[in-house]
Amino acid sequence: MKRRKHKRCIVFWGGILTAAVLSGCGVGEQDKTIVLPPLENQVMDSEKFRFAHIQQYIGSGNAENVLCLAWGGVGTDTLCLLKKEDGRYVYQAIDTREDTVLSSVFVDDRSLANVSIAPGGGYLSYEVQDGEEMNLIVFCPSQGIRQILHRWQGQEENFSYIWSDDGAMLFSWQNGDSGDAYKEWRVTRYEMETVPEEGFGYTVVSFQMKGNGRAWRSVCPNADGSEIYVREQLSAFDSNMSYNWLLLSDTATVEALPEYSKTPACPIRYTQAGLFVQEESGDIYLIEDIRSQPVKTKLVSGNEGTYAPFTYVCANGDHMFLMEWVNYSMYQISGARIVDGKVDGQPVVLYNDNYESLNEIKIVSDQAVVFWGEELLENNGYRYKVTVLRY
């Protein structure tokens, strides 16, 4: 989902690392990776964070090309992307150090929707219409094989998807604001299995849920996919009516959970430390012991009258990052460590940049933060930038 510019957001003051100004590149060209000096050589007001190094990669093309990006993993310099080329979609792996295309594989020539690349780039999921039927497809680039995971009639059903951190599991669920809001819906876990000599397969665990009305539905699997936290928040943000469950994949059972918030809450991440949520005020909380007697601890206070920051938490629950729009042309990334269930000091501003939009942020193996943005150029040109902060 694209993070478009908003009005002024919360600003946490700390040491600011200003991005290097990178020169533009022509349509179809790609600039080399730029490695900025380590933070040990720069002045910061806080010792809470240190980065091994910072990488940036710039690519460009035509704005009508649909791009989906993923980083190849910590310790690699590989960028994975889906792009439209000569009227069809291809999947590429790019060595950002050498500025070379390592592989380019044909994916599909039909119109794709809900595209997502798994962490590490091992799989690509997307939806495609086939006559009156919709299909959920997973593509394995290393084998050039497509698998249809799910079929359904018409387009009245809308689905959301999320990949596990290791890129081996895809989680799917029906959105709660389309079709019959009271009919049954499902949360499904697809576990990918790729055997070099036998091809590409998968196993499925599916949970049938009861619809409770139009609602925001959030699905947060834990790191290994064995537990899936689900919240159904009714009537968006004008009601505190909600339902909470924990889905246990190994036994295919559904466990109802007690409520932990008196106001509407949006789950962020279900981690080893507990459940991280953000309330409509912008306040960020850690919920511990969600299965019996939830303990709620405020980590960061929101700022009433502003847009709340976009929040990202690692699987261990010990690092948290905030993306905030400082003004209409500048965004910043702030970070905080979580120690014994509390924030270790105020979040520190780690990075800022002037870019037209920020598309996505990912935390890779609790070792790096990867984010990418875009800007439109003249004559329908398009430029994207990927930044990797290794900590």
Side-chain angles (χ1 to χ4, degrees):
M1 182 181 295
K2 295 185 177 180
R3 309 307 193 193
R4 295 294 179 187
K5 296 189 286 288
H6 298 306
K7 62 183 179 180
R8 182 172 298 275
C9 296
I10 310 166
V11 179
F12 297 102
W13 295 106
I16 299 180
L17 171 64
T18 304
V21 178
L22 305 179
S23 59
C25 50
V27 174
E29 298 176 358
Q30 295 168 338
D31 282 355
K32 65 179 181 180
T33 298
I34 296 177
V35 180
L36 302 182
L39 290 192
E40 283 74 9
N41 299 334
Q42 303 190 34
V43 178
M44 291 190 69
D45 294 336
S46 173
E47 299 294 328
K48 301 297 184 184
F49 273 81
R50 285 294 180 188
F51 293 108
H53 64 277
I54 302 171
Q55 293 175 250
Q56 289 187 325
Y57 177 78
I58 289 182
S60 65
N62 193 282
E64 67 184 16
N65 293 342
V66 178
L67 294 175
C68 183
L69 304 175
W71 193 250
V74 172
T76 75
D77 298 303
T78 304
L79 176 67
C80 307
L81 65 90
L82 178 77
K83 63 185 297 187
K84 198 171 186 179
E85 196 172 80
D86 299 326
R88 63 182 199 166
Y89 291 93
V90 296
Y91 179 91
Q92 293 184 342
I94 297 175
D95 184 335
T96 60
R97 289 281 183 181
E98 301 297 330
D99 191 18
T100 58
V101 177
L102 299 175
S103 62
S104 185
V105 184
F106 167 73
V107 177
D108 214 312
D109 55 9
R110 297 170 292 181
S111 180
L112 311 185
N114 248 346
V115 179
S116 180
I117 299 176
Y123 300 98
L124 168 74
S125 65
Y126 61 91
E127 293 178 349
V128 67
Q129 186 171 358
D130 185 8
E132 296 297 321
E133 188 177 69
M134 295 295 296
N135 294 336
L136 167 63
I137 296 176
V138 164
F139 177 73
C140 179
S142 63
Q143 298 190 357
I145 298 176
R146 293 193 298 259
Q147 285 277 6
I148 298 177
L149 302 188
H150 181 56
R151 306 173 190 263
W152 66 99
Q153 292 293 323
Q155 300 186 52
E156 69 278 1
E157 294 291 348
N158 296 318
F159 290 82
S160 294
Y161 306 97
I162 185 174
W163 284 96
S164 60
D165 285 6
D166 63 2
M169 298 181 188
L170 178 66
F171 299 86
S172 166
W173 67 97
Q174 290 158 287
N175 297 333
D177 56 356
S178 62
D180 183 355
Y182 287 91
K183 73 178 182 180
E184 294 178 341
W185 55 287
R186 291 181 178 274
V187 178
T188 304
R189 187 191 78 177
Y190 302 95
E191 184 172 0
M192 307 302 140
E193 298 176 346
T194 302
V195 181
E197 296 181 356
E198 300 180 10
F200 161 46
Y202 62 94
T203 58
V204 180
V205 177
S206 190
F207 299 88
Q208 183 170 297
M209 315 295 291
K210 180 181 178 181
N212 293 295
R214 295 191 180 276
W216 292 97
R217 291 175 182 164
S218 300
V219 173
C220 300
N222 64 353
D224 63 8
S226 61
E227 296 183 359
I228 309 169
Y229 168 77
V230 179
R231 182 177 179 87
E232 194 171 45
Q233 181 79 55
L234 302 187
S235 302
F237 286 95
D238 60 4
S239 170
N240 63 358
M241 178 67 73
S242 59
Y243 298 90
N244 302 275
W245 303 277
L246 195 63
L247 313 183
L248 308 178
S249 301
D250 293 340
T251 58
T253 57
V254 179
E255 180 180 332
L257 300 177
E259 180 55 62
Y260 52 79
S261 178
K262 295 181 180 180
T263 62
C266 178
I268 299 170
R269 191 72 191 268
Y270 180 42
T271 74
Q272 294 180 12
L275 175 69
F276 288 77
V277 302
Q278 189 166 26
E279 297 192 342
E280 58 181 336
S281 63
D283 295 346
I284 301 171
Y285 292 88
L286 171 62
I287 314 297
E288 299 175 280
D289 198 12
I290 64 171
R291 303 177 79 160
S292 56
Q293 296 180 333
V295 177
K296 184 177 178 180
T297 303
K298 183 187 290 189
L299 301 177
V300 177
S301 296
N303 192 355
E304 189 174 354
T306 67
Y307 283 97
F310 296 100
T311 307
Y312 306 84
V313 181
C314 70
N316 293 328
D318 55 6
H319 286 89
M320 178 173 63
F321 298 90
L322 311 174
M323 193 287 287
E324 308 159 279
W325 286 103
V326 180
N327 54 44
Y328 287 97
S329 62
M330 178 70 69
Y331 69 82
Q332 67 183 24
I333 306 294
S334 302
R337 292 176 62 240
I338 311 298
V339 180
D340 296 329
K342 298 180 180 179
V343 172
D344 185 20
Q346 286 294 322
V348 177
V349 177
L350 305 171
Y351 179 92
N352 61 18
D353 203 351
N354 185 1
Y355 227 58
E356 192 162 293
S357 73
L358 189 67
N359 289 7
E360 195 167 3
I361 296 179
K362 293 291 184 182
I363 299 176
V364 183
S365 302
D366 200 13
Q367 298 179 49
V369 181
V370 182
F371 48 95
W372 47 90
E374 66 178 29
E375 64 177 340
L376 299 179
L377 308 175
E378 295 181 357
N379 300 320
N380 206 32
Y382 175 93
R383 180 163 60 208
Y384 62 92
K385 179 165 63 180
V386 181
T387 303
V388 183
L389 306 180
R390 298 187 183 180
Y391 61 91

